[in-house]
Amino acid sequence: MRQGRWTNIRKNWAVYALSIPGIFFFLLFKYIPLFGSVIAFQNYNIFHGITGSAWVGLEHFKKMFAYVDFLIILKNTIIIGLYDLLFAFPVPIILALLLNELRIAAFKRLVQTLVYMPHFLSWVIVGGIVVGLLSPTTGFVNHVIGIFGIEPIYFLGENEYIRSILIGSGIWKDSGWGTIIYLAAIAGINPDLYEAAVIDGAGRLRQTFSITIPTILPTIMILFLLHIGNFLDFGFERVFIFLNPLNNEYGEIIDTYVYRAGLVDRQYSYTTAIGLFKSVVGLMMIVIGNTLTKKTTGDGLY
């Protein structure tokens, strides 16, 4: 058994060699920093270090749940995460199915390029574009609604619009890039299945629902599990560029609060406890989601 294992390593040494940089990356930037999570149970002092800081147990976790504003921030994070799951997650799937139906190769490549391009823009640039479009004085959106006699709306100055702006800008920026995985999965479908469906008289819509979607369903479920694992990790940059005192009530999430309380107010132990809480919730959601997925579809992450 051991001899066969070493034979396999010698035979595929190039593959193992290529994996070494990735292994070191995860060890250095993912696993070793986990030991720093211990400061969530301390009153961490940067001058005393981890070994010299006093232990306080679960004090910071109690403080976290006792803080009224944190519960509001947690609610915002959950609601925005649900919106992202309901509205943003299906868009790449729909785009991939629509692109797959295009028969003119040049036009298909053009559309793919156009929907992929926003992914390569930073959130700072995307934020500038969105702010410009939604400006109450010079914005295109207010110019259009003004044609119908509607007064200009300060979208970024009202709480009720901030969540829609966050989800909408994310869909525009990342949905095109997300279609790559689904298009790759669709490309792997056996063409004989479609030929048999045509012989049976199935149209394109029927083929999509009876062949394409069931075949790529394992891919969809894997990406769904990865998505819910990051349910509370909506993204700091994505929110911070749109956040201001006028929409802060509905827009602030855990990541922006951690930045404000941790880096600005220097509450390192407290914000580490918040980050640890978020990670534990993400792990629990992956485990629960994986269990349910394996029972319903037979596929899962592990």
Side-chain angles (χ1 to χ4, degrees):
M1 185 71 176
R2 183 175 299 177
Q3 183 66 28
R5 183 183 303 169
W6 283 108
T7 301
N8 181 60
I9 292 175
R10 286 195 298 269
K11 182 179 179 181
N12 301 289
W13 67 269
V15 177
Y16 289 101
L18 287 172
S19 68
I20 292 175
I23 293 173
F24 274 110
F25 171 82
F26 280 96
L27 285 175
L28 186 61
F29 295 102
K30 301 295 182 180
Y31 287 97
I32 293 178
L34 286 176
F35 294 102
S37 300
V38 71
I39 69 175
F41 306 95
Q42 298 177 321
N43 270 332
Y44 179 69
N45 187 301
I46 59 175
F47 299 105
H48 297 160
I50 293 177
T51 56
S53 298
W55 288 86
V56 295
L58 300 176
E59 179 180 323
H60 297 297
F61 294 93
K62 295 176 182 177
K63 175 184 175 182
M64 177 178 65
F65 289 109
Y67 183 43
V68 177
D69 285 353
F70 175 76
L71 298 179
I72 296 174
I73 292 166
L74 179 61
K75 175 186 174 183
N76 289 341
T77 307
I78 293 174
I79 292 175
I80 292 174
L82 285 173
Y83 285 172
D84 190 55
L85 189 64
L86 292 174
F87 299 108
F89 180 77
V91 173
I93 304 172
I94 297 171
L95 274 176
L97 294 174
L98 293 176
L99 287 171
N100 185 58
E101 296 302 316
L102 295 178
R103 292 294 173 258
I104 303 175
F107 181 66
K108 182 177 181 179
R109 287 195 295 269
L110 175 63
V111 174
Q112 286 177 333
T113 303
L114 291 176
V115 297
Y116 292 166
M117 285 177 62
H119 174 77
F120 299 99
L121 302 176
S122 70
W123 272 109
V124 175
I125 297 175
V126 172
I129 294 172
V130 174
V131 170
L133 289 172
L134 300 180
S135 171
T137 54
T138 60
F140 175 77
V141 175
N142 275 300
H143 176 71
V144 171
I145 64 176
I147 297 174
F148 299 96
I150 302 175
E151 291 294 322
I153 301 172
Y154 187 14
F155 291 98
L156 289 170
E158 299 185 27
N159 275 311
E160 55 263 31
Y161 295 113
I162 183 62
R163 292 169 180 167
S164 299
I165 293 171
L166 292 173
I167 301 303
S169 59
I171 290 174
W172 178 73
K173 183 179 185 297
D174 292 326
S175 292
W177 183 256
T179 60
I180 293 176
I181 299 175
Y182 296 111
L183 285 173
I186 292 172
I189 299 176
N190 190 342
D192 293 343
L193 296 175
Y194 293 106
E195 294 176 4
V198 171
I199 294 173
D200 290 339
R204 297 301 304 176
L205 186 62
R206 184 64 178 176
Q207 292 175 37
T208 298
F209 283 99
S210 298
I211 299 175
T212 308
I213 294 179
T215 306
I216 67 172
L217 186 60
T219 303
I220 294 174
M221 297 312 300
I222 294 297
L223 293 178
F224 175 76
L225 289 174
L226 294 175
H227 191 95
I228 64 173
N230 293 321
F231 185 76
L232 297 181
D233 192 15
F234 190 68
F236 168 75
E237 301 92 345
R238 180 173 175 176
V239 178
F240 187 72
I241 55 174
F242 295 114
L243 211 58
N244 61 61
L246 298 176
N247 59 33
N248 190 60
E249 183 181 350
Y250 285 6
E252 185 163 36
I253 62 172
I254 290 177
D255 290 333
T256 56
Y257 176 65
V258 165
Y259 164 78
R260 180 163 55 84
L263 295 181
V264 178
D265 297 338
R266 298 185 297 277
Q267 301 181 63
Y268 304 118
S269 293
Y270 175 55
T271 50
T272 301
I274 295 175
L276 192 59
F277 162 75
K278 188 175 71 170
S279 299
V280 170
V281 171
L283 176 62
M284 291 174 59
M285 293 189 70
I286 286 181
V287 172
I288 295 172
N290 187 74
T291 303
L292 295 176
T293 301
K294 290 187 73 173
K295 287 184 177 180
T296 53
T297 66
D299 295 297
L301 286 175
Y302 54 87

